[in-house]
Amino acid sequence: MVEIPCPWGCYRPQSLSCKNMFRAFPFTSRTTFFIQAIHAVLVLVCCQLAGAQSARAVKSAQDVVENFAVDQHLYVKGDVGVAPQQLADLESWLATNAPHWTVVLLEHAGNEFYIAQDGRSFNGMDAVEYALGHGLANRSPFGTLEHPETGETDAAVFVLFLRERKFSYYGSDAQDRRGLGESRWVGELDRNARSAMQNGGRIIDAVKNTVTDINRRLQAAIEEEQRQAAARQ
């Protein structure tokens, strides 16, 4: 099956692309208003499903901030060497296993530029890290995502710079309060990502193993707190 990018920036197999959906319902001179309405609804549903199940192509980290959606988890800038279907599968995996995570894969940080709310400007990787580490939480619904058991904010970001060979990570209150914040990233929480990339450049594994490990540690810490609270009662 040939895979092509949808005109809206999503990645879908050709047989399911929005473009082919248009072709599947050609209009004729005898087309009724009812059929036209059904066609419009089907196209809308197709595009919504594609957006919900596919990686979103972006031009910069600022695009992520401006177009963030709680049901979109994977954003890709440039060519990171991963097949479109694999990216779509990763988006689906994140939606199921890590709905409060945002993953951004960048071919490079070139041409990145970001202006903070206080007027400071950033370039390159600094621009990406500030946009996703600060701007995303302050300028989008990302900062409102909460852990269902504790009510703490728990949204997290994983960033991979392919050309620069660098990773970044940002957690929220739930992670920070349990020793799983940015201060523990280098040399500890980044081990899974580094291992996957150093052993075959396995980007998908770098994402999945990192997310799984941090989520597992977070849930274990919360469950331990709950056991201790129950024991004191």
Side-chain angles (χ1 to χ4, degrees):
M1 181 182 295
V2 178
E3 296 171 340
I4 61 174
C6 162
W8 284 268
C10 56
Y11 295 93
R12 299 298 296 164
Q14 185 175 12
S15 62
L16 298 178
S17 71
C18 300
K19 181 178 180 181
N20 283 350
M21 180 64 78
F22 281 116
R23 291 176 176 172
F25 294 91
F27 292 113
T28 69
S29 59
R30 295 180 297 175
T31 300
T32 65
F33 175 81
F34 177 70
I35 293 177
Q36 292 180 25
I38 292 178
H39 171 265
V41 170
L42 288 173
V43 170
L44 177 62
V45 170
C46 169
C47 293
Q48 288 178 335
L49 288 174
Q53 299 176 1
S54 304
R56 179 160 191 163
V58 295
K59 295 181 179 179
S60 67
Q62 183 166 329
D63 279 355
V64 178
V65 176
E66 294 177 349
N67 298 291
F68 175 81
V70 295
D71 60 352
Q72 179 68 46
H73 309 90
L74 180 60
Y75 300 82
V76 180
K77 173 189 173 182
D79 181 5
V80 295
V82 180
Q85 186 56 55
Q86 288 181 292
L87 293 173
D89 291 344
L90 179 57
E91 166 64 28
S92 297
W93 184 88
L94 289 166
T96 300
N97 299 281
H100 290 184
W101 277 79
T102 295
V103 174
V104 183
L105 307 177
L106 303 97
E107 180 182 359
H108 58 79
N111 302 321
E112 290 283 351
F113 181 75
Y114 188 78
I115 299 178
Q117 289 180 306
D118 60 8
R120 288 180 297 162
S121 61
F122 301 86
N123 296 279
M125 285 193 294
D126 290 341
V128 174
E129 293 180 333
Y130 197 91
L132 302 178
H134 299 276
L136 193 59
N138 296 324
R139 298 185 179 183
S140 78
F142 174 89
T144 67
L145 299 175
E146 297 180 346
H147 193 281
E149 296 179 42
T150 69
E152 301 165 295
T153 57
D154 70 338
V157 182
F158 174 76
V159 187
L160 185 150
F161 301 89
L162 185 61
R163 183 177 299 173
E164 292 83 358
R165 299 185 179 183
K166 188 179 186 298
F167 312 102
S168 295
Y169 158 76
Y170 303 97
S172 297
D173 289 345
Q175 292 88 352
D176 293 343
R177 294 169 180 170
R178 295 169 179 84
L180 298 170
E182 299 95 284
S183 63
R184 302 290 291 277
W185 174 244
V186 177
E188 183 176 350
L189 298 177
D190 67 345
R191 289 177 181 174
N192 288 291
R194 292 191 178 280
S195 176
M197 294 303 293
Q198 290 170 357
N199 292 279
R202 296 177 288 114
I203 291 177
I204 301 298
D205 287 340
V207 174
K208 287 185 175 181
N209 295 348
T210 297
V211 170
T212 298
D213 181 53
I214 294 176
N215 277 357
R216 177 188 59 77
R217 294 191 190 199
L218 176 61
Q219 190 58 35
I222 291 173
E223 290 176 358
E224 179 60 27
E225 292 169 4
Q226 293 172 338
R227 283 193 292 269
Q228 292 180 4
R232 290 193 295 268
Q233 294 179 354

